[in-house]
Amino acid sequence: MKTFIKLTLALFSITALAQSNCSKYYSFEEGGITEYKMQNSKGKVTGSMTTTVEGVNKAGESSTATLKSEIFDKKGKSVIVTNYNMTCDGSTVIMDFKSLMNADMLKQFDNLETEITGTNVDLPNELSEGQNLPDAGVKIKIKMLGMNMNMVTNITNRKVVGNETITTPAGTFDCVVISQLSSGKMMIKFSSNQKFWLAEGVGLVKSEDYNDKGKLQSSTILTSFSK
């Protein structure tokens, strides 16, 4: 379950892709692909991830992209596939966070009464150091055997903490850095501090996950991208 939580949070963090006319940091160009490697605290590769923009619908000044994210283990076996939508209104990209919950896991509860509520994830086009970003989160309530089982993920303390230049196998990028706290309960409680490096025209370049004591637990690094 701990592995699933980390993969879910990774899905949340890597949705930033290539630049479009609507968004600086999210892809609204059909066919765009980004690839990442996932590493543990010692830099050992633990898996990889690919995100593809499968389609884009435009309505006036708003655009909605349909994306597919797939996570592979270190042997190249697919372990999680997630499809979700993002909407851009020209100034902000809005992601429906409940759509990032793992579909395979939720299938276990198909015959049960399930309620999903939450707050969308917003990312403005204009980001500057010291800027606070809105909190986000999702709650799944499942009625089972006369009892309620709750699974919760909260994204809080989102803030633009600075600017850095980052080099990865995909190149060297000038990035804005965002930090946040991810916490909640999915069968077990979890909490981690995260940092994301975003580059205009590219999206996510790097992410890092730290435990409560500030020790690096894992990272995600851009290896290639196409528009």
Side-chain angles (χ1 to χ4, degrees):
M1 182 56 64
K2 288 184 179 180
T3 300
F4 169 71
I5 291 170
K6 287 186 178 294
L7 294 179
T8 301
L9 293 175
L11 278 173
F12 162 74
S13 68
I14 68 148
T15 50
L17 301 172
Q19 184 180 21
S20 71
N21 293 330
C22 188
S23 170
K24 290 182 179 180
Y25 299 101
Y26 286 74
S27 177
F28 285 82
E29 299 296 335
E30 187 171 351
I33 300 174
T34 51
E35 297 181 348
Y36 298 84
K37 65 178 178 180
M38 303 167 66
Q39 301 179 158
N40 62 18
S41 59
K42 297 182 179 180
K44 183 178 180 180
V45 175
T46 58
S48 61
M49 187 179 310
T50 300
T51 301
T52 304
V53 183
E54 296 198 320
V56 180
N57 292 317
K58 296 183 179 180
E61 297 182 356
S62 178
S63 297
T64 298
T66 301
L67 299 99
K68 174 185 175 181
S69 286
E70 187 167 11
I71 293 177
F72 303 87
D73 64 18
K74 61 183 178 181
K75 295 182 179 180
K77 180 181 178 180
S78 177
V79 293
I80 291 180
V81 177
T82 301
N83 296 283
Y84 54 95
N85 294 330
M86 294 189 301
T87 300
C88 177
D89 62 9
S91 63
T92 303
V93 171
I94 303 165
M95 184 193 314
D96 185 356
F97 191 85
K98 69 182 180 183
S99 66
L100 295 183
M101 302 308 297
N102 181 257
D104 291 336
M105 184 193 72
L106 292 178
K107 284 181 181 178
Q108 302 176 42
F109 310 110
D110 276 350
N111 296 323
L112 302 174
E113 185 177 345
T114 303
E115 179 183 354
I116 303 177
T117 58
T119 304
N120 293 333
V121 182
D122 293 352
L123 184 77
N125 274 341
E126 302 302 324
L127 298 172
S128 58
E129 185 173 355
Q131 181 178 355
N132 292 313
L133 303 176
D135 293 343
V138 63
K139 180 178 181 180
I140 304 176
K141 183 166 67 176
I142 301 167
K143 292 186 177 181
M144 182 170 52
L145 300 177
M147 301 175 60
N148 288 332
M149 181 174 67
N150 295 321
M151 293 186 289
V152 180
T153 298
N154 294 312
I155 308 297
T156 58
N157 298 332
R158 298 177 67 213
K159 186 174 182 179
V160 181
V161 295
N163 297 274
E164 295 182 20
T165 299
I166 296 294
T167 298
T168 79
T172 299
F173 308 94
D174 294 326
C175 300
V176 60
V177 187
I178 296 175
S179 65
Q180 67 182 37
L181 172 65
S182 297
S183 61
K185 183 178 181 180
M186 288 184 173
M187 308 298 184
I188 60 174
K189 291 183 178 180
F190 65 92
S191 177
S192 65
N193 291 290
Q194 299 169 321
K195 291 177 68 176
F196 307 116
W197 286 258
L198 302 179
E200 290 187 20
V202 180
L204 183 81
V205 173
K206 181 180 178 181
S207 71
E208 292 182 340
D209 186 279
Y210 302 84
N211 64 17
D212 290 337
K213 297 181 179 180
K215 182 179 179 180
L216 179 67
Q217 300 296 292
S218 62
S219 60
T220 303
I221 297 172
L222 179 70
T223 55
S224 68
F225 67 97
S226 63
K227 303 179 182 180

